[in-house]
Amino acid sequence: DQQVKQNSPSLSVQEGRISILNCDYTNSMFDYFLWYKKYPAEGPTFLISISSIKDKNEDGRFTVFLNKSAKHLSLHIVPSQPGDSAVYFCAAGDSNYQLIWGAGTKLIIKP
Amino acid sequence: DGGITQSPKYLFRKEGQNVTLSCEQNLNHDAMYWYRQDPGQGLRLIYYSQIVNDFQKGDIAEGYSVSREKKESFPLTVTSAQKNPTAFYLCASEIIGTRYTGELFFGEGSRLTVL
């Protein structure tokens, strides 16, 4: 049973427009959420996180929104740039300090 | 520069052979992790260690073994008991402090192919 789901395997967005990546979870005990970015043949790199006590966290072009009632979070990238083309993983953690990962969404930024 | 080094980057193994993947970090991080990534799936935790000489099984530990004799090193052995070992393996490390962030630092990964 997947506790963290990224239902879109891929997403294509025009350069300069907004990219919205979505993530759903089932475990209400998760108390923090993270987004990681991964280029091919490299390890993931941390992008942004949000605690369950917040509904929004912003860092430059990246904003993560958390809707606890819907058990849904999203990552917004504005404006999208060619270097943003990568696979984005959503991950969630609880008090056991272990992360549960989504399957990833491949973001393609078109020129 | 500080970071995590995994080696080898690519490895081929015959069925029935054990193989050891190296992971070294000079970040002075307490915790280290091994994950496995398969196409179309998220990262799955194999083993983790939060302190020297101690480690815990993750969700898919069967067929794998680890050791943590030094803070800097966390090698993973893929044994012949692992039924489907072909995958991309990722090592990560993390600071464990009073405020947990979930921010992991990853190596570049090792791709193991069983022939």
Side-chain angles (χ1 to χ4, degrees):
Chain A
D1 180 33
Q2 285 184 292
Q3 296 187 63
V4 176
K5 291 183 181 179
Q6 294 177 257
N7 291 318
S8 298
S10 66
L11 175 67
S12 186
V13 174
Q14 202 75 34
E15 181 180 354
R17 307 293 287 268
I18 183 171
S19 295
I20 300 176
L21 296 103
N22 294 305
C23 180
D24 297 297
Y25 62 95
T26 57
N27 188 346
S28 58
M29 299 303 291
F30 288 141
D31 52 19
Y32 52 91
F33 304 86
L34 306 96
W35 286 94
Y36 282 79
K37 176 180 180 180
K38 184 182 181 299
Y39 293 116
E42 293 185 9
T45 55
F46 171 76
L47 194 56
I48 193 169
S49 65
I50 188 167
S51 163
S52 61
I53 63 174
K54 296 186 176 181
D55 54 19
K56 178 182 175 181
N57 188 25
E58 192 171 353
D59 183 2
R61 296 186 299 112
F62 303 92
T63 303
V64 56
F65 295 92
L66 176 62
N67 182 333
K68 286 182 67 178
S69 60
K71 294 191 177 68
H72 177 83
L73 68 155
S74 60
L75 174 68
H76 292 209
I77 306 173
V78 183
S80 300
Q81 299 175 353
D84 296 331
S85 294
V87 176
Y88 289 80
F89 289 97
C90 167
D94 58 20
S95 57
N96 290 324
Y97 302 150
Q98 298 305 316
L99 294 180
I100 306 299
W101 297 75
T105 296
K106 183 176 183 179
L107 177 63
I108 301 165
I109 305 301
K110 299 179 295 185
Chain B
D1 284 356
I4 299 178
T5 302
Q6 287 186 241
S7 63
K9 199 171 177 74
Y10 298 95
L11 185 61
F12 296 89
R13 187 194 93 177
K14 292 181 180 179
E15 281 193 28
Q17 288 181 336
N18 292 354
V19 63
T20 297
L21 307 180
S22 169
C23 179
E24 303 280 331
Q25 55 103 355
N26 59 4
L27 300 167
N28 199 32
H29 286 176
D30 305 294
M32 296 187 74
Y33 302 80
W34 274 105
Y35 285 94
R36 169 180 171 141
Q37 186 191 10
D38 294 284
Q41 297 191 38
L43 279 63
R44 293 184 291 166
L45 182 63
I46 304 172
Y47 268 98
Y48 66 99
S49 167
Q50 295 184 328
I51 193 170
V52 174
N53 292 322
D54 187 51
F55 48 83
Q56 306 296 327
K57 291 182 179 180
D59 299 321
I60 55 165
E62 185 176 351
Y64 299 97
S65 65
V66 293
S67 62
R68 187 87 185 275
E69 297 177 0
K70 299 185 299 181
K71 188 176 185 178
E72 303 79 20
S73 179
F74 192 42
L76 173 75
T77 297
V78 185
T79 75
S80 56
Q82 168 50 235
K83 294 178 181 178
N84 186 19
T86 295
F88 188 55
Y89 291 88
L90 286 160
C91 179
S93 70
E94 180 183 38
I95 297 172
I96 297 184
T98 55
R99 179 174 165 270
Y100 184 70
T101 65
E103 183 178 348
L104 303 180
F105 293 80
F106 283 87
E108 293 196 340
S110 294
R111 183 166 296 282
L112 172 63
T113 302
V114 173
L115 304 173

